[in-house]
Amino acid sequence: MSQRSTRTLTRFGIAVAGGALTALTVVGPAVAADSAGSANNPPPVYKGRITAKSGLLLRDAPTRGSHVIRSEPYGRVVSIFCKTTGDTVDRNNLWYLLADGTWAWGAAHYISNIGQVPRWC
């Protein structure tokens, strides 16, 4: 698969994921309860801390050559929506889709999990 095809599919996945989050926000707890099984068991919130000393560049696809959207400084706690495989960074091919206002991918090698490991996208 070409890098352009991968980027297009990734953007489509981000749009779908973003739409799902918007639906949860607009419709309210009833939808969230249905997707999680019960109102007393909401979906988990995943968190991570940026460990790259010079900060972490966040990209529009889980690849090292994709467009940089923004960056996060060392030590910042970020919200993680899900994980997927992508380009390998120091023997780690996992990437996290961050949901902190702008959907962006960060190499998991530079994000330390706080609590549960994120679900697969």
Side-chain angles (χ1 to χ4, degrees):
M1 184 178 291
S2 72
Q3 185 175 13
R4 182 181 172 108
S5 297
T6 301
R7 201 173 292 147
T8 300
L9 288 173
T10 300
R11 286 184 181 148
F12 176 74
I14 291 170
V16 170
L21 283 180
T22 301
L24 285 174
T25 303
V26 173
V27 176
V31 172
D34 288 342
S35 64
S38 76
N40 295 329
N41 188 20
V45 174
Y46 305 103
K47 295 287 185 182
R49 185 176 310 277
I50 304 298
T51 61
K53 296 291 184 188
S54 60
L56 180 61
L57 297 177
L58 302 177
R59 302 177 177 277
D60 67 353
T63 61
R64 297 175 79 163
S66 59
H67 179 73
V68 174
I69 296 175
R70 61 187 172 96
S71 65
E72 289 291 348
Y74 172 78
R76 170 80 44 96
V77 174
V78 294
S79 297
I80 302 169
F81 183 72
C82 61
K83 67 181 173 186
T84 193
T85 57
D87 284 357
T88 299
V89 177
D90 288 336
R91 295 175 297 188
N92 184 341
N93 71 342
L94 294 179
W95 288 69
Y96 292 152
L97 178 57
L98 305 184
D100 291 307
T102 304
W103 293 92
W105 293 96
H109 177 75
Y110 295 110
I111 303 172
S112 176
N113 295 322
I114 299 172
Q116 289 182 309
V117 175
R119 67 179 173 267
W120 288 96
C121 297

